[in-house]
Amino acid sequence: MRIRSAIIPVLLLASLLFQSCARLAITNTNLFDPVTGSMLPERTIIVKGDRIISIGTPGSPVRVPTFAKVINGSDKYVIPGLIDAHVHLVFLLDSANVKGEDVLPLYLGNGVTSVRDIGDGIVEQKRVANFADAHRETCPTVFMCSPLVDGAKPYHGADRVSTAISSPAMVPAFIDSMVAYGVSTIKIYVYADSAVFRKVIEEGHKHGLIVSAHLPSNVVRTKDALDWGLDVIEHIFGAPNDSLLIAQMVAQGTMLDPTLVVFNNMLLFNDQPDVYLNKDNYYVPDSVQKYWDSYRINAKWNDIKLNEQNLLSRQNTMEKYKNTTGILYRAGVTLLAGTDSPEPYCPPGFALHDELVLLVESGLPPAAALKCATLNNARALNQAKNLGSIEVGKIADMVILNANPLSDIRNTRTINRVIHRGIVCDPKSVLPSPRVP
């Protein structure tokens, strides 16, 4: 009897301690499942620390811990934290004398809980990634990539953004150094020769890294890159138009990141007021805006300044890119969602919502577009066990929306709260005040 009397208080204390650790509950909400592409009703999500520990359903309810912070999810829609698979946090901002740390809140405030820096100086990237990790309440998680692996005379010059590798013998030591820095991806650029290209894929895969490439290459055929096992093609203009190559991509799981928004906003239509006067642009630092406007003043299309006479040609090009994206999706190619921000008029965070709209305009259902920005991107980071969907055991990265994105993909902008690694973030507090136009 005494033993039993002693056990009861211990059990009660253990229960209380468990409940106090489970600090967040989102109750009775609609949960988006990227695997089935459906919105699951009446779910209750329990978070302990930075992980999801249980999800209640109508048939299998869970008890909300006594000491948890409770968010009433009725009439709300919860999606996995968005991932931007193609950003640059250093070299583009250097032109405007801005640090990557300064724009990170723009991502998180837009529900982008993870970003992949897809080519920057590794030392500078590491600094930004460390800052983000130390400020999870305002910054997304930063996944690093190697500098651009290029030929003896790199396209962007032998500076911090590129690494000149002229011989395959140089590759193993380079890959080892990237592993030591903790990169998730190796990116190959346009002047890397065939032997180096192939060796980078081989060595990258030995270390379990994703290998991405900017195609078309000035040296390597797309067919050869696929035969050697390339994991990701960056940009829609690198997509093959050969049905056999597309089938090969599907068979071996080669992914493609269209980055439609950079073609739309930066390259093709930066002279259009709805692009350069978009209200989203006023959230970026003033020096970035000035850099963008300077780019626009000098921008050309096919070596001719953008004007009304070539507008139709530009529109046709954009339609071709969207049509190609739709063809790839229907063929079964795994598509990613990236923005190339902060290229001109691709504001960090905001541009990913534009990319989702462009993917839907390309023929993807809203659920498929959301999958690109969540589970597909997580797979491209080798992080599908941790990110990309709302499941027990995964990191608690989520976005609570006020409206259903499956009804209208633009509803990804109706952000009520962002959950980043279990931390509840109010986007109004995370985002800076926009500049006055």
Side-chain angles (χ1 to χ4, degrees), residues 81-84 89 100-115 132 135-142 347-350 352-353 396-401 412 415-432:
L82 300 172
I83 303 169
D84 192 330
L89 295 171
E101 296 92 322
D102 298 331
V103 302
L104 288 176
L106 297 180
Y107 290 105
L108 193 65
N110 274 283
V112 181
T113 54
S114 296
V115 298
H135 298 83
R136 296 179 178 182
E137 72 283 357
T138 57
C139 300
T141 303
V142 174
F350 297 94
L352 189 59
H353 298 288
D397 280 1
M398 297 173 278
V399 187
I400 303 174
L401 303 175
T412 58
I415 299 174
N416 180 277
R417 289 291 186 274
V418 179
I419 316 298
H420 180 225
R421 293 184 172 264
I423 301 170
V424 180
C425 309
D426 183 345
K428 294 178 182 177
S429 300
V430 174
L431 290 173

Side-chain angles (χ1 to χ4, degrees), residues 128-272:
V128 178
N130 287 344
F131 179 90
D133 191 52
H135 298 83
R136 296 179 178 182
E137 72 283 357
T138 57
C139 300
T141 303
V142 174
F143 290 91
M144 297 190 298
C145 171
S146 70
L148 308 176
V149 177
D150 218 339
K153 295 183 179 179
Y155 179 87
H156 285 291
D159 57 13
R160 292 176 299 172
V161 71
S162 302
T163 295
I165 298 184
S166 56
S167 165
M170 301 169 62
V171 172
F174 171 75
I175 298 295
D176 286 345
S177 69
M178 293 299 103
V179 171
Y181 271 105
V183 305
S184 66
T185 307
I186 305 293
K187 184 176 179 182
I188 310 173
Y189 217 57
V190 295
Y191 289 146
D193 70 29
S194 298
V196 169
F197 202 115
R198 185 171 189 173
K199 188 66 173 177
V200 168
I201 295 175
E202 176 187 327
E203 290 294 320
H205 286 174
K206 283 182 182 178
H207 291 279
L209 300 176
I210 295 292
V211 182
S212 167
H214 182 112
L215 293 176
S217 163
N218 290 13
V219 182
V220 174
R221 297 186 311 159
T222 298
K223 169 64 174 170
D224 291 332
L226 294 178
D227 287 345
W228 299 332
L230 181 69
D231 298 303
V232 184
I233 296 173
E234 301 295 335
H235 307 301
I236 192 59
F237 61 29
N241 57 15
D242 181 295
S243 60
L244 292 178
L245 292 183
I246 294 173
Q248 183 177 353
M249 290 179 68
V250 175
Q252 63 191 44
T254 307
M255 298 170 272
L256 187 136
D257 190 356
T259 65
L260 295 169
V261 68
V262 77
F263 294 99
N264 190 88
N265 292 13
M266 173 189 174
L267 296 172
L268 293 172
F269 305 120
N270 65 68
D271 62 327
Q272 301 300 298

Side-chain angles (χ1 to χ4, degrees), residues 32-38 371 375 379 389 391:
F32 174 65
D33 176 16
V35 176
T36 62
S38 57
K371 185 177 181 180
L375 190 56
R379 289 169 176 164
S389 59
E391 298 180 59

